[in-house]
Amino acid sequence: MGRRGPGGRPRRTAQAASHRQENIRRLVSERGYRGSYSTVQRHVREWRLARGAGAGGGYLELEWAPGTAQVDYGNFEAEVAGERLRLKLLVVCLPHSGARYAVAGRSQRAECMCAGLASIFGWVGRAPRELVLDNATEAGRRVRGEVTESHLFSLFRAHYRAGSRYCNPYSGNEKGAVENAVGFLRRNLLVPVPRVGSLAELNALLREGCDRLNASSRARDGRPTPEALSEDLASMLALPSAPFDAVRWVRCRADKRGVVTVDGRGYLAGPAWHSRELLVGVRAETVEVLADRGRRVALLPRAFGDGPAVRNPLSLVPALVARPRAFGESVIRRDMPEGLVRAIDSLDARGRRRVLRAIGRAAAASGFDAACAAAQGVLDGGRVPDDATVDVLARRIASGALGEAGGADLSVYDGFLRGGGDRAC
């Protein structure tokens, strides 16, 4: 009986069917075969038995050199910030000592895998001399003995000076240690379903659990894992002084709203960048949009699955400064305090432009929320905000200075806001 996944369903059914179809196509195109696939299966089984494959089959016991790591993925579920998520468990096992390490992520795309491996290497304090993976990962593929690695993973390996070897995903014995580790860690650390406030909290729990299990485990030769782990560490490589930036760069053309689409999800660069070709850097947790000469257009959180375009309200400000009358229907209103929205609505086009420009410039240093709070404070004082005043107040709000007891006497700001008329825009 083959290995089965959740619910008793056979694993990798789709991949197996694809292999069968490919074999059938080759038989037809190369040999002109017209029979059934089951006839071929019976012939292969009888051929193997006749040549002694039945007697000489089975699995050989493998001995793994210190410093070698096996890598694999598993699936699990967790409740993160009240939302039930299907997550990926990246597991690294050192088969010589039996030490196991795991991190959770949203995807197993190349940038997520490299970021996860870099996190584990930093945790261990050394980098493996060789990584053993299978063709199911996004690191690379071995087809008829020839390996083709992804560009990002090749850069990752070069950064850490690690070698790589790829196994057949259907030959679990080639990296059985890590396949066993995936199930072991799920049963011992992820049952019942974890409930955490963030992915960082979940990974902290996984790290604590792995360290605890490694301290009480034993290597295959019976020695305590910590004792055998010292041999692994002695054979592993020192970490580079600079961290690896696990980023996948793609070129995208923004649509008429200034939205670029990466991996099926939209990210708002801003209306000012509509119909432009932009360079997008995709990382495990962020998406960075660059224009010509490397100018950063937007830095947005990474999103997975279907959903609305991910946006940063600050990216809308330049277009609203140019067209202040559009503020009445802009989605940026949802990101501002209600009092600030009402105050801006009461202004003419010139006043709106001045407020929005001051918010945009102050937000670059202090953040959008602090800039909005500063602009609202100035408006509540009876004055249309200017760049300098909003910037000073936003910096104090962002630093927490406005809430500190015994701080500066802020009544001076009230006097400043009441004085003089507005300067020309």
Side-chain angles (χ1 to χ4, degrees):
M1 182 68 70
R3 291 176 297 167
R4 292 181 176 267
R9 295 186 298 275
R11 296 176 62 187
R12 300 189 176 101
T13 303
Q15 294 96 321
S18 175
H19 281 289
R20 287 197 297 270
Q21 292 299 323
E22 177 62 23
N23 290 338
I24 291 172
R25 283 193 292 269
R26 290 188 59 194
L27 282 170
V28 172
S29 62
E30 298 176 13
R31 301 291 182 179
Y33 182 70
R34 294 292 183 270
S36 68
Y37 190 69
S38 60
T39 301
V40 177
Q41 288 179 306
R42 287 195 297 271
H43 173 77
V44 171
R45 183 164 54 249
E46 292 170 0
W47 179 85
R48 285 176 174 172
L49 290 173
R51 294 179 64 89
Y59 297 128
L60 294 173
E61 183 177 359
L62 303 179
E63 183 173 338
W64 294 90
T68 302
Q70 298 178 6
V71 181
D72 202 8
Y73 268 104
N75 299 313
F76 73 102
E77 292 189 355
E79 188 175 302
V80 181
E83 182 182 1
R84 187 73 167 251
L85 298 177
R86 292 184 59 82
L87 301 173
K88 302 294 182 179
L89 186 70
L90 175 62
V91 178
V92 172
C93 180
L94 304 177
H96 175 76
S97 62
R100 314 171 183 96
Y101 307 90
V103 294
R106 295 294 306 273
S107 169
Q108 60 185 63
R109 294 299 300 262
E111 63 277 5
C112 299
M113 182 185 67
C114 290
L117 288 174
S119 173
I120 290 176
F121 295 173
W123 172 4
V124 176
R126 306 277 284 178
R129 287 189 175 274
E130 185 173 45
L131 295 166
V132 181
L133 312 97
D134 66 30
N135 286 351
T137 68
E138 285 218 352
R141 295 286 186 271
R142 185 183 68 177
V143 179
R144 298 177 185 174
E146 184 176 345
V147 173
T148 303
E149 278 191 341
S150 72
H151 177 67
L152 180 58
F153 188 69
S154 292
L155 294 176
F156 176 84
R157 282 202 311 104
H159 184 80
Y160 287 99
R161 299 165 293 144
S164 64
R165 178 151 51 93
Y166 293 87
C167 302
N168 187 328
Y170 301 103
S171 300
N173 62 300
E174 295 183 25
K175 56 177 183 59
V178 72
E179 294 203 353
N180 290 334
V182 170
F184 178 80
L185 294 178
R186 275 192 302 214
R187 291 190 301 272
N188 286 272
L189 301 180
L190 299 171
V191 177
V193 173
R195 289 176 172 80
V196 294
S198 65
L199 204 57
E201 182 183 345
L202 176 60
N203 277 319
L205 293 175
L206 283 172
R207 179 166 183 166
E208 178 185 351
C210 287
D211 287 341
R212 183 179 67 253
L213 293 171
N214 289 337
S216 60
S217 297
R218 290 188 174 274
R220 295 186 66 179
D221 59 9
R223 291 182 297 161
T225 289
E227 178 183 330
L229 179 59
S230 62
E231 298 172 359
D232 266 324
L233 295 175
S235 299
M236 293 167 76
L237 303 168
L239 297 179
S241 58
F244 180 77
D245 185 12
V247 56
R248 172 168 52 97
W249 293 102
V250 294
R251 289 198 172 274
C252 300
R253 183 169 294 277
D255 65 13
K256 62 182 181 181
R257 299 171 299 152
V259 174
V260 294
T261 301
V262 181
D263 298 336
R265 192 65 181 265
Y267 297 88
L268 179 65
W273 303 97
H274 71 92
S275 305
R276 293 273 299 274
E277 185 176 86
L278 301 170
L279 185 62
V280 183
V282 186
R283 296 179 174 85
E285 297 182 356
T286 62
V287 170
E288 182 180 18
V289 185
L290 303 180
D292 48 350
R293 299 181 182 178
R295 175 187 173 188
R296 178 185 284 180
V297 172
L299 182 63
L300 302 163
R302 178 82 180 270
F304 299 89
D306 297 329
V310 181
R311 61 188 180 86
N312 180 344
L314 189 58
S315 63
L316 298 170
V317 172
L320 291 172
V321 170
R323 298 190 296 275
R325 296 187 186 280
F327 179 80
E329 288 73 39
S330 174
V331 295
I332 200 173
R333 299 166 68 92
R334 300 199 302 254
D335 303 295
M336 291 180 166
E338 292 184 8
L340 178 60
V341 171
R342 288 194 299 269
I344 296 176
D345 283 340
S346 67
L347 300 173
D348 59 15
R350 180 172 175 272
R352 288 183 179 185
R353 177 180 292 110
R354 187 169 180 179
V355 174
L356 292 167
R357 186 184 64 188
I359 290 174
R361 292 181 176 178
S366 305
F368 185 74
D369 291 340
C372 287
Q376 184 171 1
V378 176
L379 286 165
D380 290 344
R383 187 163 181 254
V384 177
D386 62 87
D387 295 352
T389 307
V390 173
D391 184 45
V392 170
L393 286 175
R395 289 175 186 270
R396 292 181 62 82
I397 292 171
S399 67
L402 289 183
E404 293 178 358
D409 182 5
L410 300 181
S411 61
V412 66
Y413 285 103
D414 296 332
F416 175 64
L417 297 177
R418 286 192 295 269
D422 296 335
R423 297 185 182 87
C425 183

